[in-house]
Amino acid sequence: MSEPEIIEPAIPRRVRRPLDLARFLLALAVTGGIVLLAWAATSTAAGLGSDLSSGVSLLPAPIVLSINVIAGIGTLGLPVAAAVSLIVRKRLRLLFDALVALLVAFLVLTATAQLVAGIGSPRLMVALAGSASELSTSTAPILGGLAAFITVARLMGRRPWGALVVIVIASISLVTVLSAGIALAGVGISLTIGWAIGLITRYALGTPTTRPTGADVAEALARGGFPVRCLTSEVTTRRGRRYRAETVDGPVLRVTVLDRDLEGADIVTVLWQAVRLRDERGLDTLNMRRGLDHAALTAYAAMAAGAPLPELYLVCEVGADASLMAFAYLDAVPFSECADLTHDDALSAWRAVQTLHQHQVSHRSLTADNILRGRDGEVWLVGQDQGSIAASDVAMRIDLADLLCTLSLLLGVQTAVSTGREVLGDAELSRALAVMQPVALAPSTRTAMRRQRDLLVDLRDSLVQLRPGAPVEQIQLRRVRPRTLIMIIVGTIAGYVLLSQLAQVDLATLLTTANWEWLLIALLLSLVTYVGAAWSLSGFVPERLRLHRTVLAQLAGDFATLVSPPTLGAVAINLRYLQRAGLHPALAAASVGVSQVMAFFFHIGLLLAFGIAAGTQADLTFNPPQAAVIAVVIASVVLIALLAIPAVRRPITRRVLPTLREVGPRLVTVAQRPMKLTEGIGGILLLNLAYIGVLVACVHAFGGELNLAVIAVVYLAGATLGQAAPTPGGLGAVEAALSAGLTAAGLDGGIAVSAVLLYRLVTFWLPTVPGYWAFTWLTRKGAL
């Protein structure tokens, strides 16, 4: 028999494996976890090291001697033996890569040890090195270098190297802990850093490919009883390659080759779907062999059911690192490429899915690309490897929803629903309503539906009309909502920031030295600020808002500022609150914009008014400090000069004008209702005056005496700086500005710092607990 004709592009000699990158990120995460754990439990880590030393001292001398001999010989003998093996196998490039990784890991760990010692943190040294002595070291460069070498050389996956590697590494680790003055955590991060460097070296330089060539694929088909005359590569997918094989005297085949090189290509998507959704296959899809078994089992089950899927002729290995599946080749065109789809085509698609479901087989990828129409008009399904046998009720409901959406995109909602009713009946088709959610759809279908947002609404309405008055089932497809993940992250960050900041404040001393009468006044005025904030929002919203929920939304905004700049968090909360209250997103944004713009202008107006009042003498003559006048004049001149420069003016204009265009019509609407306008302006004034009152009360709580107008100027100026600060809640910027302002105004420095700390405690830190409660309560009630 003549050699088959092979038509395929050149296969790259070296490839970057996605799993290497994923494992590198995992190694970094493990390294960070070890450091944090050792830092948080320094005494426990030191105790483990002591217990280990005590335990080893009780071992018989021959065993201890054996461990030392294995460690000593293995340190040099293991890489030498592995190098000889690689040379014999003619893997010189792999040997070079492994030696590079060993050298890089050694240098990185040596530099890390010097960095840890240079930081000068005794606690960190004790956590990693076991003691703060200058003779101690926080890493084991030789151990990490060996880990990198082993990783690149892939010794763990080969016999008998795997067992040998475990014995040598365990012996070296044990001897390192006992004799080199290093803690278990230091050994742990040495191994994980070495592993990480080996993985990133392997990913950056690439590894020799194990992908079979077209000739290897043809040979495997011939062994399976399908000698090939011509093999043509059609497409390369994220999991392998697809060929068209013309056999010598048999059918034409569609051959799918699964390559181990591409394991983990979809790891991010798979992990996200597994965490986010119920009824997902999870990590099994990342393994080539498991993926092959699953796809073959599903295909055989569909064939046994008599569903219109291409016949699976052969499943076999192609070498040690690839497998193939040979299906009957379909002379068909995907629905996505058919411009003349008919009512009968939709009926055939529904019948195909009905056949699968009658035998408890799901498809889970009924996209327009996976539904084909043959030249003879017969409809076929492909892409069944995402499906499952003994399918759950939810999985089959998702199939119905997926096909409804696909046919609606191609033929319209009416045709999709009517053909489904004709095949399945009203009761069966209406089962799709409970899972008619974007998250349930295949990715390509979900993307197409987002471009036609009304389509999903029309589908739901059509399904509801099939059984009017029947109770609507609710199926929760999400295991974890993105909002839940965000709340976990936000809560963690907020807790860390809160505890780290409060740890620097002696609350007992602060509260015991403060005058409790003034402290009570500060707390009451702090509560008033939330009423003012609520009015400053609702006053610029013509629609009716519930006052108590609006107040709670402002309290939730305080919690949001823990993890975002001050204005950003409050604006996001208010915007979301208005949308959930029934306002159109554009109107909600305009209302929040009006509130922010008005608050800005009144803030500046109050700053000027109190500035004039602060500079006015007892005889009512205005005599501000000369330095302040010069500073104002210089700032005004600089601002005007900058606005005169087109390069500066244009970006400001591009940012400001759109906001003013949105705000203008909304402001006109509000201005036609004087009571609403009064409510909004009154809320802004009440908000600022209440905050000023809180700062005044905090100053008096420590016996400070300062002019009211001066304190007002300090607050208004400090708040302006705090709004511009990128830190959560303006942390650092607000405290520094207020303390410096009060001190410059003549207040004692110690009193100024105490007053500012008390002010921030009352207005920022204490509200975080009820703010979190308000956030969760409003979220649970659907108001956020």
Side-chain angles (χ1 to χ4, degrees), residues 164-196:
L164 183 61
V165 164
V166 171
I167 294 172
V168 170
I169 291 296
S171 300
I172 296 175
S173 301
L174 191 58
V175 172
T176 302
V177 171
L178 298 177
S179 63
I182 185 172
L184 283 173
V187 171
I189 67 168
S190 299
L191 289 172
T192 55
I193 291 175
W195 182 39

Side-chain angles (χ1 to χ4, degrees), residues 518 522 525-526 688-702 706 708 710-716 718 738-739 742 747 752 754-760 762-763:
W518 283 108
L525 289 174
S526 178
N688 283 282
L689 293 176
Y691 271 126
I692 293 171
V694 173
L695 186 56
V696 170
C698 291
V699 170
H700 284 280
F702 293 97
L706 206 60
L708 174 63
V710 173
I711 296 178
V713 171
V714 170
Y715 159 74
L716 293 167
L738 294 180
S739 299
L742 292 175
L747 193 64
S754 298
V756 170
L757 289 176
L758 181 61
Y759 170 80
R760 290 291 277 173
V762 170
T763 61

Side-chain angles (χ1 to χ4, degrees), residues 284-627:
D284 285 350
T285 58
L286 297 178
N287 183 275
M288 184 269 290
R289 187 71 204 190
R290 292 178 182 173
L292 175 74
D293 292 344
H294 180 88
L297 184 60
T298 307
Y300 284 132
M303 289 166 54
L309 275 78
E311 184 177 356
L312 177 59
Y313 289 121
L314 179 66
V315 180
C316 68
E317 283 189 338
V318 189
D321 296 304
S323 301
L324 67 78
M325 303 174 66
F327 295 89
Y329 193 88
L330 299 177
D331 187 13
V333 180
F335 270 24
S336 59
E337 299 177 11
C338 295
D340 57 344
L341 289 176
T342 64
H343 183 274
D344 291 338
D345 294 331
L347 287 175
S348 298
W350 281 115
R351 292 191 186 101
V353 173
Q354 182 186 41
T355 302
L356 287 177
H357 287 186
Q358 286 173 346
H359 293 79
Q360 304 299 302
V361 179
S362 67
H363 191 283
R364 292 302 299 271
S365 187
L366 291 168
T367 66
D369 291 325
N370 287 335
I371 308 174
L372 282 62
R373 186 179 67 181
R375 303 298 180 186
D376 56 357
E378 187 174 357
V379 171
W380 298 85
L381 302 179
V382 296
Q384 72 281 355
D385 56 309
Q386 298 297 317
S388 59
I389 61 172
S392 66
D393 177 68
V394 172
M396 292 188 286
R397 287 174 183 253
I398 291 175
D399 274 353
L400 300 180
D402 220 354
L403 186 55
L404 272 171
C405 292
T406 296
L407 294 179
S408 297
L409 290 166
L410 297 171
L411 297 169
V413 173
Q414 183 176 356
T415 301
V417 174
S418 63
T419 52
R421 294 177 66 186
E422 188 173 339
V423 175
L424 303 178
D426 291 355
E428 180 69 14
L429 186 63
S430 62
R431 293 171 62 244
L433 180 60
V435 295
M436 191 63 69
Q437 308 168 31
V439 71
L441 305 177
S444 59
T445 305
R446 182 166 59 245
T447 301
M449 292 294 287
R450 283 174 180 166
R451 301 192 189 103
Q452 303 183 41
R453 295 183 180 276
D454 295 337
L455 206 60
L456 196 60
V457 177
D458 294 341
L459 266 176
R460 286 174 178 151
D461 292 342
S462 299
L463 292 177
V464 169
Q465 293 171 8
L466 296 182
R467 302 179 67 188
V472 178
E473 296 179 83
Q474 297 292 334
I475 295 180
Q476 181 57 260
L477 296 177
R478 291 186 179 94
R479 180 181 286 115
V480 177
R481 292 176 175 269
R483 182 184 302 174
T484 305
L485 292 177
I486 293 172
M487 280 298 301
I488 293 173
I489 296 171
V490 166
T492 302
I493 296 174
Y496 174 78
V497 173
L498 177 62
L499 292 176
S500 61
Q501 286 290 319
L502 292 181
Q504 302 176 15
V505 180
D506 188 348
L507 294 179
T509 303
L510 188 68
L511 295 177
T512 54
T513 57
N515 185 301
W516 279 85
E517 293 181 359
W518 283 108
L519 178 57
L520 182 60
I521 293 174
L523 289 171
L524 293 175
L525 289 174
S526 178
L527 294 176
V528 172
T529 62
Y530 295 100
V531 178
W535 284 346
S536 69
L537 176 65
S538 61
F540 299 105
V541 180
E543 293 78 7
R544 179 178 175 80
L545 298 176
R546 299 182 185 179
L547 179 61
H548 73 282
R549 288 198 172 188
T550 310
V551 171
L552 290 178
Q554 309 314 303
L555 196 58
D558 269 9
F559 170 71
T561 58
L562 269 178
V563 289
S564 65
T567 304
L568 184 60
V571 167
I573 291 292
N574 286 333
L575 190 60
R576 179 68 176 172
Y577 170 70
L578 293 181
Q579 290 179 10
R580 300 295 285 182
L583 270 72
H584 188 277
L587 295 179
S591 297
V592 174
V594 170
S595 175
Q596 292 295 314
V597 169
M598 295 294 287
F600 171 76
F601 282 116
F602 275 93
H603 190 95
I604 298 301
L606 287 172
L607 182 60
L608 293 174
F610 279 111
I612 293 173
T616 302
Q617 306 299 317
D619 57 359
L620 300 181
T621 60
F622 180 61
N623 186 23
Q626 185 177 4

Side-chain angles (χ1 to χ4, degrees), residues 271-278 439 477-480 482:
L271 287 175
W272 173 240
Q273 296 291 355
V275 171
R276 187 184 184 194
L277 300 180
R278 304 177 189 274
V439 71
L477 296 177
R478 291 186 179 94
R479 180 181 286 115
V480 177

